[in-house]
Every structure is written in C-alpha cells, then in structure tokens.
Amino acid sequence: MTATPISDASAQQALRDAMAAVASPVAVVTALDGRRPHGTTVSAFTSLSLAPPMILVSLDNESQLLAIIRRTRRFGLNVLGSHQIDLATAFARTGRDKFQGIPWSPSEDLPRLPGSAAWLAAEVDAYVPGGDHTVLLAHAVAAERGPGNPNPLTYHQRSFGTHTPLATPLDT
C-alpha cells in the first residue's frame, strides 16, 4: 500500500497528531557558555549503544543551546522524574534566562539539576541533519541514576504525566 502525499501543513499536523499517541520521556539538556548555564526541555532522546556507551538527542536548528554545544561539543542530560514538571515547563519556554531561580550544580563541568531521575554527561561525536532539527550522536562519559526511584516524567497526548506499571511486571 502506498501512502498518499499530503501538503506540508497537513503532513505536519498529521505527524503531530500521530506522535501525540507516543509516550516520550522528558529531559533537560544543559551546557555551559563560559560560566553561564543554558538548557532546554526535550523529549527526543534515547540510548543508542552500550558498547561504546552512546546516547542521541535532537535539538532545534535555531536553538541557542545547539550553537553552544557545537562550540563545546559537550552537554548534560537531566532525565526528569514526575516530580519535576515545573522544571520541564520552565526549560520549555523561549528566552535566555531559563536558569533564573533554578538551582543547579556543576557535574563533569556541566549544569546538573538536583533530584533528576538520571544524569548523563556526553561528548558529541557527530551532528546529523534532520529537517528542522539536528541529531547529536554522543558518547556518555558519565551516567548516574538519581536518588530514590522516582516515576519518570513523560509527555503524552500533549501533556505531562508518568508511567503506570502493569499489574504483572515483565521478566527482564
């Protein structure tokens, strides 16, 4: 069966609607520009490889954060827990002062947000163009699970939520 081509605007809306059915994890990607922290909320990230340990992250081509990461070739990935909806919202907005009033500490010389479900520091190996975004393929140089066992923050049906485990866990 061949897909019927649709207009750009229709294709964009169809993709938005289809992807709304997919639950995605939420993270804040961070980097330092000199001493100044920068960050943005993303839901397009995942592990890529265990040998070597690699992750991928997708950032908007117009992002100031992407420009900083292109210069430094490093970024932090703060995987958010369900208790961090306020951080996801704060870093999803546009503007330069997203860290105003947000506590952070340096880890691997990158901004780390306290209480995240997981923390990774990464060094970029490759930048892959992908439409209006760039995919960063990066080696994880540090990885650490956060304190406790927080439920993950997810984005699904255009709203934040969390994962609800099945009554019978799958054998792993």
Side-chain angles (χ1 to χ4, degrees):
M1 181 176 193
T2 306
T4 305
I6 52 179
S7 72
D8 284 344
S10 295
Q12 289 174 4
Q13 190 58 52
L15 181 59
R16 277 189 195 103
D17 292 345
M19 294 309 296
V22 178
S24 301
V26 180
V28 174
V29 175
T30 58
L32 284 175
D33 188 13
R35 294 175 145 180
R36 187 173 182 189
H38 291 265
T40 194
T41 300
V42 300
S43 61
F45 72 94
T46 192
S47 63
L48 177 62
S49 169
L50 290 177
M54 293 183 73
I55 61 174
L56 68 81
V57 171
S58 178
L59 293 173
D60 188 292
N61 290 335
E62 301 301 316
S63 164
Q64 181 183 12
L65 181 62
L66 177 58
I68 293 166
I69 294 171
R70 283 187 184 277
R71 283 195 311 272
T72 65
R73 300 192 66 85
R74 303 181 75 239
F75 64 89
L77 185 71
N78 299 268
V79 181
L80 301 183
S82 61
H83 62 288
Q84 295 177 302
I85 293 171
D86 290 344
L87 284 177
T89 303
F91 284 96
R93 64 180 169 80
T94 58
R96 295 179 51 98
D97 295 324
K98 295 180 188 180
F99 269 93
Q100 187 169 343
I102 305 288
W104 65 278
S105 61
S107 184
E108 301 290 325
D109 293 324
L110 293 162
R112 182 175 182 168
L113 301 172
S116 294
W119 158 256
L120 293 97
E123 294 179 355
V124 180
D125 277 349
Y127 302 91
V128 180
D132 59 3
H133 280 63
T134 297
V135 178
L136 287 61
L137 306 179
H139 274 86
V141 297
E144 185 179 316
R145 188 176 181 156
N149 191 18
N151 287 329
L153 183 62
T154 60
Y155 191 72
H156 179 249
Q157 297 296 349
R158 297 182 180 95
S159 63
F160 292 116
T162 193
H163 168 74
T164 303
L166 298 171
T168 306
L170 301 174
D171 292 336
T172 56

